[in-house]
């Protein structure tokens, strides 16, 4: 988790000069995942968002989670 947080912090720092403001995270469920797997993936994204907020002091109020079969 710490490695992911570090990577997130590096990515945010890289876009700061562009004056972009990150307001949330987006994820998609696996192509082959069943409902249980999909829920676990979405929970992981939420927990990662929560960790970014608490560990990096970021505000990420937006959290978008779609289904892979919705993507064409």
């Amino acid at each position: 988790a710490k490695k992911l947080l570090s990577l997130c912090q590096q990515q945010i720092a890289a876009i700061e000069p562009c004056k972009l403001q990150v307001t949330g995270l987006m994820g998609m469920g696996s192509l082959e995942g069943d409902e249980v797997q999909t829920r676990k993936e979405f929970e992981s994204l939420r927990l990662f968002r929560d960790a970014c907020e608490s560990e990096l002091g970021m505000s990420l109020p937006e959290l978008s989670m779609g289904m892979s079969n919705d993507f064409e």
Side-chain angles (χ1 to χ4, degrees):
K2 291 287 185 189
K3 186 175 181 177
L4 281 175
L5 287 172
S6 176
L7 180 59
C8 182
Q9 191 172 31
Q10 290 172 11
Q11 295 299 315
I12 298 299
I15 64 170
E16 280 180 337
C18 300
K19 305 294 184 204
L20 297 175
Q21 183 179 7
V22 177
T23 61
L25 300 175
M26 180 179 179
M28 292 177 65
S30 298
L31 288 174
E32 301 298 323
D34 59 14
E35 185 177 339
V36 172
Q37 178 63 31
T38 301
R39 288 184 184 276
K40 287 180 182 179
E41 292 167 356
F42 290 168
E43 180 183 23
S44 293
L45 181 63
R46 182 185 54 79
L47 292 171
F48 180 66
R49 187 272 315 261
D50 294 349
C52 286
E53 287 187 320
S54 65
E55 298 292 323
L56 304 178
M58 301 174 69
S59 175
L60 299 169
E62 302 293 330
L63 190 58
S64 176
M65 296 183 252
M67 300 298 294
S68 297
N69 58 359
D70 291 343
F71 183 73
E72 295 181 17

